[in-house]
Amino acid sequence: MATNTHAADAAQGFTEDASLTLNARNYYMNRNRLQQADDNIEWGQGFLGIFESGFTEGTVGFGIDAHAMLGLKLDGGGGTDNSSILPVGDGNGKAPHSFSTAGGTLKMRAFDTELKAGDLFLTNPVIAGGETRMLPQTFRGVSLSNHSLDGWLIEGGQASFTKPYNQSGHIRIGTSYGSLPEGDESQHLNWAGVAWSGLPGLTSSLYAAELKDIWNQYYYDLDYTYALNEVVSLNPGLHFYHTQDTGDALLGRIDNNTYSLHFTVGVGNHSVTAAYQRVNGNTPFDYISQGDSVFLDNSQQYSDFNGPNERSWKLKYAYDFVGLGLPGLTSALSWSRGELDLTKVDPDSPGYSAWYSADGKNARHWERDVELKYVVQAGQARNLALRLQWATNRGGNGYGALDQDTDEYRVIFDYPLNVF
């Protein structure tokens, strides 16, 4: 396979390749849990600036990346906080008026290999920073990536801390669905993986990660898009995770195989997707706290449909309004249904006992998701985006012991700007 040298050939220098981008995100979330007297309602304005230098000239080049974030509270408090947009209140039910953070990264490049150390933005199936709130999640550690072979990405690294998307400071990396015993924490997460896109329409990747003293997690995917003609396309795909406890097993025993299958038919500006997802294990499929490293087809706006022994189905319809002469306007409507057995959960599990329910043998829930997004295509406001999201989740047959019936609304404005 050919060596990939185009990146090195295109490099100009430390300042010549430098860039500065800004994004202003206005975020409103209203999470109405129907069995509670109070809703979780928060509204904030976030600002994110990212500077990336080029590399110094020579066989080995050096560079610097830096970022700064600021979050401002516009509304939230008096019992309506804790929707995950703003920091958790200080005991009086009110989030602080602002929170901020800044970080930097040293980087080095030799040929097609790049080493980074510092505060990292990461996106892969086993460690992906959360991007679905007002400000993004980052990690503190080191990463290494290589693009020497055409169509291949090889990467790995270690992260010891994370900066959550609704906090200023750094904490140890936890999990989204497990509860660590007080005083216990994982010291770091190691990962390595390879992604391949060597044939038109076909992609695949294989990753492994160790969250020290909690789990080893392995991931594989395969996705193929085939164009029958200029109008019709077919897209089958598979995602698979295996998670196994390791070391001191701080969350208890884990032996979980989770997979999802999807098939999408695209016809012009329309697409219809059918998906099936299965969790094989007496613990939920779990991933890092606040992260987006849940590359499963039935991970929806509110629920991931990832409960113990859960089977779920999804049907989704999407339409691009460019077909009606409205470029930049897109929409999606989906309906998902899951069934799970909560009686098989170990009630003495140190990390997942809260999932046990004696009445949950045939627990079930469903979710309806609606999304409408518009991106300005030209003019001074080019790339300004407005996104409206609405999720409805309802449960029964013992599911209420796990979660509550919920309606959730989100209104998100993004205004990105390339300074240079």
Side-chain angles (χ1 to χ4, degrees):
M1 197 165 287
T3 300
N4 181 1
T5 59
H6 66 274
D9 293 340
Q12 300 295 315
F14 184 88
T15 57
E16 290 81 359
D17 287 335
S19 66
L20 175 62
T21 59
L22 304 175
N23 188 60
R25 172 173 286 186
N26 189 279
Y27 206 120
Y28 171 81
M29 179 182 284
N30 184 323
R31 181 176 288 166
N32 178 10
R33 300 186 188 275
L34 301 187
Q35 287 88 351
Q36 288 186 184
D38 297 320
D39 299 339
N40 298 135
I41 304 172
E42 291 183 327
W43 180 27
Q45 176 64 55
F47 299 94
L48 170 65
I50 299 177
F51 169 79
E52 295 180 327
S53 78
F55 290 90
T56 58
E57 297 182 2
T59 303
V60 179
F62 298 88
I64 298 174
D65 295 342
H67 68 266
M69 307 181 201
L70 172 64
L72 303 175
K73 181 178 76 171
L74 302 179
D75 187 31
T80 67
D81 61 341
N82 201 23
S83 78
S84 73
I85 299 302
L86 304 171
V88 177
D90 56 7
N92 60 3
K94 295 183 179 181
H97 292 287
S98 66
F99 64 105
S100 61
T101 188
T105 305
L106 298 176
K107 57 186 182 181
M108 179 180 71
R109 186 178 65 194
F111 301 103
D112 294 305
T113 299
E114 188 171 306
L115 174 67
K116 291 185 176 182
D119 294 297
L120 308 171
F121 293 89
L122 298 171
T123 304
N124 67 55
V126 291
I127 178 170
E131 298 278 353
T132 60
R133 297 299 189 269
M134 186 172 69
L135 294 172
Q137 179 185 19
T138 61
F139 300 93
R140 182 162 289 173
V142 296
S143 69
L144 185 71
S145 61
N146 178 274
H147 294 85
S148 294
L149 302 177
D150 284 337
W152 291 83
L153 164 65
I154 303 172
E155 66 170 331
Q158 181 183 93
S160 298
F161 296 91
T162 180
K163 196 286 298 177
Y165 47 57
N166 61 341
Q167 294 184 28
S168 296
H170 288 75
I171 60 174
R172 293 290 185 180
I173 299 173
T175 74
S176 291
Y177 291 95
S179 299
L180 283 169
E182 186 175 355
D184 288 337
E185 57 187 12
S186 176
Q187 296 301 301
H188 58 254
L189 186 148
N190 300 317
W191 82 94
V194 56
W196 176 75
S197 55
L199 293 175
L202 183 63
T203 62
S204 185
S205 65
L206 178 64
Y207 278 81
E210 177 206 21
L211 186 56
K212 183 175 172 57
D213 289 325
I214 295 182
W215 68 51
N216 290 328
Q217 191 167 78
Y218 308 92
Y219 171 85
Y220 175 73
D221 68 30
L222 182 66
D223 191 89
Y224 180 54
T225 300
Y226 175 69
L228 288 176
N229 51 49
E230 294 182 356
V231 177
V232 181
S233 65
L234 305 178
N235 170 226
L238 160 73
H239 302 273
F240 174 80
Y241 284 93
H242 171 66
T243 310
Q244 187 81 43
D245 60 88
T246 186
D248 291 341
L250 299 179
L251 291 180
R253 185 176 185 273
I254 303 172
D255 186 6
N256 187 291
N257 291 306
T258 298
Y259 66 88
S260 67
L261 301 165
H262 74 262
F263 188 82
T264 300
V265 178
V267 180
N269 300 300
H270 305 263
S271 70
V272 176
T273 300
Y276 174 73
Q277 185 168 301
R278 181 65 190 263
V279 180
N280 290 306
N282 295 329
T283 60
F285 167 75
D286 204 355
Y287 54 94
I288 61 173
S289 179
Q290 293 196 354
D292 289 340
S293 46
V294 48
F295 285 35
L296 294 170
D297 291 297
N298 291 359
S299 177
Q300 298 298 96
Q301 176 181 324
Y302 180 76
S303 176
D304 288 319
F305 289 87
N306 63 325
N309 305 290
E310 181 159 11
R311 297 177 298 163
S312 60
W313 301 262
K314 181 178 76 174
L315 187 63
K316 177 181 178 181
Y317 169 73
Y319 180 70
D320 188 334
F321 283 84
V322 69
L324 295 178
L326 296 171
L329 181 62
T330 56
S331 63
L333 171 65
S334 64
W335 185 83
S336 310
R337 177 178 180 271
E339 299 178 355
L340 55 163
D341 185 352
L342 301 176
T343 65
K344 293 184 178 180
V345 178
D346 181 2
D348 297 319
S349 168
Y352 300 104
S353 59
W355 287 76
Y356 173 78
S357 172
D359 299 322
K361 182 174 180 57
N362 297 301
R364 60 188 60 176
H365 64 129
W366 60 264
E367 180 168 329
R368 179 181 60 240
D369 295 274
V370 181
E371 177 173 290
L372 189 66
K373 183 178 180 180
Y374 178 66
V375 180
V376 177
Q377 301 295 293
Q380 294 293 326
R382 184 173 181 268
N383 293 327
L384 184 147
L386 167 63
R387 192 183 323 153
L388 307 176
Q389 296 177 307
W390 174 33
T392 299
N393 193 284
R394 297 289 186 270
N397 288 31
Y399 185 79
L402 175 64
D403 201 357
Q404 302 175 27
D405 293 347
T406 302
D407 292 327
E408 184 180 276
Y409 310 88
R410 303 183 189 184
V411 181
I412 308 164
F413 282 94
D414 274 305
Y415 188 23
L417 178 63
N418 292 323
V419 180
F420 57 81

